[in-house]
Amino acid sequence: MKRHFKMPAQIINGKKISEEIKQEVKKQAEALYKETGVVPGLAFVLVGDNPASKVYVTMKGKACEELGFYSITLKLPTETTEEELIEKIQNLNSDPKIHGILVQLPLPSHINEQKILQAIDPIKDVDGFHPVNVGKLVIGLDTYLPCTPAGIQELLKRSGINPSGKHVVVVGRSNIVGKPIANILLQKKEWANATVTICHTGTKDISYFTKQADILIVAMGKPELIKGDMIKPGAVVIDVGVNRVDDPTSEKGYKLVGDVHFESAYEVAGAITPVPGGVGPMTIAMLMKNTLQAAMNQVLTKQFSN
Ligand code: L34
């Protein structure tokens, strides 16, 4: 019988890497404070009571505390109108202590998400969701990169996995992950320059594409849809999904699983991100990085406008 020896997949530790980044950002923020007296400030806007959103905003607020950033959270009821929300955002736009504004998504269905995102001053748009910043990304200009995709690129970089010349297959075409990660990795830049394919709900045979991926990035919000037999041996698998599935044996009544079936993928992949502890914490670390950048940008505009 022919025996196959396979090295176990490398598990990419997003939690650990995110801690390193936060420590770096903390040092840079201290330096900014020494030079200018400015403390980076971030405002969270949370509308309604989506339980996952509450958890994420709480975690982001804690990261601000850890790094010595100023932060405020506006908690608004589900019934909040578009007009009310836009007014709150305008107040934050003109608040000099606030350098970054984050409206946690999803918003209740009666609110037009685009209208709200477009009310944020692009210089305070630390999510990189304003059309001006999306456009800058697509053209290849410097801008705030959306936090989850930026975190994915940083994870690859810090794991020594260079996408240049590789076939990256992205599953999912959301504005938060799929589209921006595809745009980031296809740039003619360092730690990018990949051949990028995007699959989505309209794709006829997803596994035909996923099997060709050197780097497979899955962000579709479907628990454990990608199985080991859909992955090329040795591929790098980045699992962006954070799905709550019922689990009566756990204290919370649910457990978190990714969009990738970890056990079978682990057998095939060369490297893989876990859920939890993979991409999720990186999202928060990159938010801190963008907020520091926003504070620095706003210090500069002030200096030059005097
Ligand atoms: N505006 N809305 C805006 N910006 C974002 O960047 C987000 N996103 C997504 C949802 N809505 C948003 C997030 O912050 C998803 N997301 C996010 C952030 C953090 C984590 C997951 C998703 C995370 O830290 N996850 C942990 C587990 C957390 C838990 O216990 O539930 C992990 O280890 O994956």
Side-chain angles (χ1 to χ4, degrees), residues 71-193:
S71 84
I72 56 170
T73 303
L74 304 186
K75 290 186 184 146
L76 305 173
T78 309
E79 313 77 63
T80 306
T81 66
E82 265 175 16
E83 292 69 32
E84 287 167 337
L85 190 49
I86 290 172
E87 199 193 311
K88 302 273 186 207
I89 290 170
Q90 285 165 347
N91 291 340
L92 295 169
N93 282 340
S94 52
D95 184 341
K97 291 195 299 301
I98 297 298
H99 306 101
I101 302 170
L102 184 146
V103 178
Q104 188 71 17
L105 301 178
L107 288 169
S109 55
H110 67 277
I111 295 176
N112 179 330
E113 187 182 289
Q114 276 308 314
K115 255 195 194 165
I116 301 307
L117 295 178
Q118 290 174 31
I120 299 172
D121 185 336
I123 204 171
K124 298 193 176 186
D125 173 33
V126 287
D127 261 327
F129 292 162
H130 190 289
V132 165
N133 291 325
V134 176
K136 284 185 175 180
L137 163 60
V138 173
I139 296 166
L141 301 176
D142 271 345
T143 184
Y144 306 113
L145 298 180
C147 304
T148 302
I152 294 170
Q153 187 185 35
E154 198 64 29
L155 262 189
L156 293 172
K157 195 171 169 179
R158 292 184 188 233
S159 307
I161 300 162
N162 196 337
S164 184
K166 304 265 171 61
H167 187 192
V168 171
V169 175
V170 177
V171 185
R173 58 175 152 189
S174 70
N175 292 334
I176 299 197
V177 187
K179 282 183 206 160
I181 190 62
N183 274 295
I184 289 169
L185 294 182
L186 69 75
Q187 307 276 0
K188 193 165 184 175
K189 289 188 178 167
E190 304 238 305
W191 299 97
N193 199 34

Side-chain angles (χ1 to χ4, degrees), residues 14-15 45 51-53 55-57 59-60 101-106 117 120 125-129 146-149 176-177 239-242 244 252 254 256 274-284 287:
K15 180 84 192 140
V45 182
S53 294
V55 170
Y56 300 153
V57 169
M59 290 167 68
K60 290 173 182 182
I101 302 170
L102 184 146
V103 178
Q104 188 71 17
L105 301 178
L117 295 178
I120 299 172
D125 173 33
V126 287
D127 261 327
F129 292 162
C147 304
T148 302
I176 299 197
V177 187
D239 188 354
V240 188
V242 186
R244 293 181 170 200
K252 294 175 179 163
Y254 67 86
L256 294 178
V275 177
V279 175
M282 291 297 292
T283 298
I284 297 177
L287 172 65

Side-chain angles (χ1 to χ4, degrees), residues 236-295:
V236 174
V237 178
I238 307 293
D239 188 354
V240 188
V242 186
N243 307 289
R244 293 181 170 200
V245 299
D246 290 342
D247 178 12
T249 66
S250 92
E251 213 174 280
K252 294 175 179 163
Y254 67 86
K255 63 174 179 175
L256 294 178
V257 301
D259 289 351
V260 175
H261 183 257
F262 188 86
E263 288 71 23
S264 62
Y266 177 74
E267 295 298 319
V268 186
I272 185 167
T273 61
V275 177
V279 175
M282 291 297 292
T283 298
I284 297 177
M286 300 315 279
L287 172 65
M288 297 300 115
K289 200 172 171 196
N290 282 352
T291 303
L292 171 66
Q293 186 63 54

